[in-house]
Amino acid sequence: MVSRGRRIALVLLLASCAFLLSGRLTARQATVTTFLDRYAAGQFEAVVDELGGDLDFEELLKQLKRDGPGWIDAAGPELRERRELVAVTFALEAARADQWYQWKWIWLPPEMKAIGAPPGMVGGSYQPFPILDWRPAPLFIEWACERLRKDTTPRPIERWWQLAALAVAQRSEDVHFLVGDPNIGRGTGAGEIGNLQDEIKHLDHVSARFPSEPRFMLAQGIARPQWPEDAFKAFGALLGDEDVGGEAAMRAGALEMRLGQRAEALQYFEMAEDRTRDPYVVYLARFFTGQIRERQRAIHAATEAYRGAVAAWPHAQAATMALASLLFDAGRRVEAQTLAGAMLAAKPPARDPWREFVHADNRFWPQLVGRLRAEIRK
C-alpha cells in the first residue's frame, strides 16, 4: 500500500507537470499585440491560419480588452484610426475562427427549495430561470463594436465593419445575439433566461448608428422567425428597395412556406424574381417554388422550377439532385445521370445557396473583409 506521504508527493508531482505543460502551451500562443502587429503589417492570411489552430480564445479576449487600447494609442494620434481598424477587424477574424467551437452556454440552475411555498408549487420548490453565458466569439464582436460606438458620428469605414460583423454574427445561427432572447415570456421550460442584464442585442446598436442601411433592416426580419408578424413587417417595408427588395420577398416567401401558406409563398417567390437579378436570390426563389410544386404533385411545374434554379446557379446540389430525381422518375435517366455527373465533377464544388440560406450575409464575408483589409493597407 502506498503511504499517505507518497500519495501527496505523487499528486504534487503530477500537478507540477501539468502546470509546466500548461506554461509551455501558453508560451507557444502569440500575444494579442503580436497578432495585431502582424495584422497591421498585412499578414492577414498568416494570422487567420494561426487563429484556426488550438488557441485559448478566452485568454486572447482577455489580452485584447487589457492591452488593445494601449496598442491602438501607441503610435500617436495620426495612426490611431488605422490601428483601431486593425484591432476591431482582428476581433472579427478571432470571432469567426472560434464561433463554431463556442458561442454561448445556457446554464440551468438547480431547483430551489422554497420556504412557505405558495399553493400550487409542486414539492415546495421552483426552477430558476436559465443563465446566459456568452463565450469569447460574440464578446470579440461586442468589444470592437463598443469601441466604434465611442465615436458620436460613424466613420465611413465603420459601415463596412458593421456589415462584416453582421456576416459573422449571422453565421453563428444565433438570433439571440442579434435581437435578444427569443424565448422571453415562454418560461423556464422553453429556456427563457433570467439574466437579461447580460443581453447584447447587437442589431440595436447597429440600427441606431445606421438607421437607413437596408441590409441591417433586412437582418431584423431574418432574426425574427419566432415572431412572424415582426418578420413580415420588416420584409414588407423593404419590398420596394432596389438593393434588397428581391431578397426580402424571397425570405418572406420562405417564412410563409414554413408556416404552411403555400399560395402566399409562391406569390412572394414570383415577386422576388421580378425585383432582382441576384443569382443567389433567384436560385432560392425557384428552388423553394419547386419544393412547393412537388408537394402539390404538380410535377411538370416542379421540374421547370428546379431546372430554372440550376440555370441560375449551375451544379448547386439541392436543386440539381431534386431535378435529377424527378427526371429519373419520369424515365429520363440519361438526362438525370448527366446532371448528377456534372454536379459531382464540378471543381471546385458549387457552394449551394440553400446550404447558406440560414447564414444570410455570410456570403458577403470575403468581399467585406477584403474591403477592411484594403483600408488597413493604405
Side-chain angles (χ1 to χ4, degrees):
M1 180 179 292
V2 180
S3 68
R4 181 172 181 271
R6 288 187 177 182
R7 288 200 302 270
I8 293 174
L10 181 59
V11 169
L12 291 174
L13 176 61
L14 292 173
S16 300
C17 290
F19 175 79
L20 292 173
L21 179 59
S22 174
R24 287 197 296 271
L25 289 173
T26 303
R28 286 200 297 267
Q29 178 169 319
T31 64
V32 75
T33 53
T34 300
F35 275 123
L36 293 175
D37 286 337
R38 292 168 60 196
Y39 205 82
Q43 299 175 28
F44 306 123
E45 296 302 332
V47 168
V48 170
D49 286 346
E50 192 161 342
L51 288 173
D54 187 15
L55 299 186
D56 184 343
F57 282 92
E58 290 193 34
E59 174 62 23
L60 197 63
L61 176 64
K62 177 182 176 182
Q63 291 182 23
L64 185 61
K65 289 180 175 181
R66 183 191 66 208
D67 303 332
W71 184 90
I72 290 170
D73 294 333
E78 65 278 3
L79 291 178
R80 182 186 177 281
E81 287 189 358
R82 177 181 180 272
R83 288 170 75 88
E84 182 173 64
L85 179 61
V86 169
V88 297
T89 305
F90 169 78
L92 288 186
E93 301 272 26
R96 188 177 174 85
D98 189 44
Q99 68 181 157
W100 281 356
Y101 293 95
Q102 293 187 80
W103 182 262
K104 72 180 181 185
W105 292 343
I106 302 292
W107 299 98
L108 184 64
E111 286 189 356
M112 303 293 290
K113 299 296 182 182
I115 299 176
M121 182 176 288
V122 179
S125 65
Y126 68 97
Q127 176 63 61
F129 285 108
I131 302 300
L132 168 66
D133 180 10
W134 294 112
R135 307 313 298 151
L139 298 180
F140 276 113
I141 301 175
E142 178 57 16
W143 175 86
C145 184
E146 186 176 2
R147 280 208 62 91
L148 294 173
R149 295 201 305 268
K150 291 180 179 179
D151 293 336
T152 304
T153 302
R155 288 180 278 148
I157 194 62
E158 184 186 338
R159 173 179 172 271
W160 293 100
W161 186 91
Q162 294 287 7
L163 287 167
L166 178 62
V168 177
Q170 288 179 323
R171 182 172 179 255
S172 74
E173 304 181 20
D174 180 43
V175 302
H176 196 160
F177 173 76
L178 292 171
V179 296
D181 185 4
N183 297 310
I184 288 294
R186 299 174 63 189
T188 58
E192 179 180 354
I193 67 165
N195 53 328
L196 294 177
Q197 71 277 6
D198 293 328
E199 292 274 39
I200 294 177
K201 297 184 179 180
H202 178 70
L203 271 179
D204 286 0
H205 311 152
V206 180
S207 299
R209 293 180 73 75
F210 298 93
S212 60
E213 171 55 54
R215 295 225 64 89
F216 299 146
M217 298 166 69
L218 182 67
Q220 294 281 359
I222 295 172
R224 287 177 163 80
Q226 290 95 337
W227 304 284
E229 289 186 9
D230 293 342
F232 284 128
K233 182 178 179 180
F235 295 143
L238 294 168
L239 292 176
D241 186 274
E242 62 180 12
D243 293 324
V244 303
E247 185 170 351
M250 180 272 291
R251 289 188 177 275
L255 184 54
E256 291 281 23
M257 184 172 71
R258 175 186 163 198
L259 296 173
Q261 304 300 315
R262 294 175 178 175
E264 290 82 354
L266 290 172
Q267 290 177 359
Y268 275 122
F269 295 145
E270 185 176 349
M271 187 187 303
E273 288 210 54
D274 290 340
R275 282 165 167 72
T276 187
R277 293 184 179 179
D278 182 347
Y280 169 91
V281 175
V282 172
Y283 169 86
L284 287 169
R286 292 174 179 175
F287 175 66
F288 291 147
T289 296
Q291 288 192 309
I292 291 177
R293 292 306 190 190
E294 189 173 359
R295 291 168 188 168
Q296 293 174 332
R297 304 298 182 187
I299 301 304
H300 177 73
T303 301
E304 291 309 303
Y306 289 143
R307 193 183 299 280
V310 173
W313 202 283
H315 310 309
Q317 296 83 15
T320 299
M321 294 309 297
L323 176 58
S325 177
L326 292 184
L327 291 173
F328 186 90
D329 289 343
R332 299 161 67 178
R333 298 185 177 183
V334 173
E335 186 178 357
Q337 184 177 356
T338 300
L339 274 170
M343 178 198 73
L344 294 172
K347 301 295 182 186
R351 293 177 62 86
D352 193 332
W354 178 73
R355 294 180 180 275
E356 282 293 303
F357 174 75
V358 70
H359 297 155
D361 285 11
N362 178 57
R363 65 189 173 114
F364 300 124
W365 170 256
Q367 296 90 341
L368 294 170
V369 75
R371 180 67 178 80
L372 297 173
R373 290 174 179 182
E375 189 71 16
I376 290 170
R377 286 193 183 98
K378 289 182 179 179

